[in-house]
């Protein structure tokens, strides 16, 4: 599916009265597994789509790289989310998007910055461009929950736990306007 590599899977599809329901009851993904249920209702006056995902044990870096082109996170990914949208156009659906979910990364790293090295020697990190490419910050857990209403995602419990660093974050992502208003508060242990 696009660049996403899906392993052995079990798929159940039903179409009745203009409503398509697709259930992935078993899905092998990036050394983990998942389940999903997608419903597209074309019979209603306004078309609607709902999606439920439950993902466990995925290797985050290849999964996120293939799914959204992001290669900055490593670790084991667990996520569950429920999304719903309705509208006569893609823009209307994005503006009506709602849902919630939880994402957790375990025993991983953020590529591109090494906070421990930054604390030890600020000059080398910023003056040596090669240092940024080779750096990473290990963490035990990176997690958060979110809600989406009218296309605006809100999170108030981002948490990163590492041996040297604790990070908390909260804010919003306005998906229709493609803007981010987010505050991150790092604390050195």
């Amino acid at each position: 599916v696009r660049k996403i590599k899906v392993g052995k899977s079990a798929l159940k599809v039903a179409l009745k009265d203009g409503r398509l329901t697709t259930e992935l009851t078993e899905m092998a993904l990036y050394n983990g597994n998942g389940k999903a249920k997608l419903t597209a209702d074309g019979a209603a006056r306004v078309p609607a789509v709902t999606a439920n995902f439950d993902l466990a044990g995925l290797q985050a870096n290849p999964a996120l790289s293939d799914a959204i082109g992001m290669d900055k996170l490593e670790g084991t990914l667990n996520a569950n989310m429920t999304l719903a949208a309705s509208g006569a156009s893609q823009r209307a659906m994005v503006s009506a998007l709602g849902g919630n979910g939880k994402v957790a990364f375990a025993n991983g790293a953020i590529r591109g910055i090494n906070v421990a090295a930054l604390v030890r020697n600020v000059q080398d990190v910023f003056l040596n461009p090669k240092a940024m490419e080779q750096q990473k910050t290990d963490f035990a857990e990176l997690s958060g929950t979110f809600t989406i209403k009218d296309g605006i995602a809100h999170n108030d419990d981002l948490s990163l736990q590492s041996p040297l660093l604790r990070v908390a974050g909260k804010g919003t992502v306005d998906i229709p306007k493609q803007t981010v208003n987010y505050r991150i508060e790092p604390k050195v242990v």
Side-chain angles (χ1 to χ4, degrees):
V1 179
R2 294 186 177 192
K3 292 182 180 180
I4 299 172
K5 296 165 187 75
V6 179
K8 181 181 176 184
S9 300
L11 177 67
K12 178 181 173 184
V13 179
L15 176 62
K16 184 176 181 181
D17 299 326
R19 183 179 174 134
L20 176 68
T21 302
T22 305
E23 291 183 71
L24 285 154
T25 57
E26 174 189 347
M27 184 170 47
L29 293 166
Y30 301 95
N31 295 331
N33 59 69
K35 294 180 181 181
K37 182 176 181 180
L38 307 166
T39 303
D41 188 350
R45 188 178 64 76
V46 178
V49 176
T50 60
N52 297 299
F53 297 97
D54 190 6
L55 309 172
L58 278 65
Q59 291 305 303
N61 189 266
L64 292 173
S65 181
D66 288 353
I68 60 175
M70 183 176 82
D71 67 351
K72 298 295 183 193
L73 284 173
E74 298 175 1
T76 302
L77 169 62
N78 295 301
N80 59 52
M81 59 189 78
T82 300
L83 304 171
S86 62
S89 68
Q90 182 180 11
R91 180 177 300 246
M93 288 185 137
V94 170
S95 294
L97 183 64
N100 60 62
K102 178 178 181 175
V103 178
F105 298 87
N107 302 317
I110 300 172
R111 294 180 178 181
I113 186 167
N114 184 332
V115 174
L118 179 65
V119 170
R120 285 190 303 270
N121 193 348
V122 174
Q123 183 177 358
D124 280 351
V125 172
F126 287 109
L127 296 180
N128 181 356
K130 293 277 186 197
M132 292 301 281
E133 295 172 11
Q134 300 166 359
Q135 302 296 330
K136 66 182 183 178
T137 299
D138 295 327
F139 60 80
E141 181 180 311
L142 171 61
S143 65
T145 60
F146 64 89
T147 58
I148 304 173
K149 184 176 180 187
D150 298 328
I152 299 172
H154 177 77
N155 161 264
D156 61 7
D157 64 353
L158 177 76
S159 174
L160 181 140
Q161 306 288 322
S162 79
L164 180 66
L165 186 68
R166 301 291 188 262
V167 176
K170 61 182 176 179
T172 59
V173 177
D174 189 324
I175 301 167
K177 292 182 181 176
Q178 299 181 355
T179 60
V180 176
N181 181 6
Y182 208 85
R183 180 178 178 87
I184 295 180
E185 298 177 357
K187 293 180 184 175
V188 176
V189 175

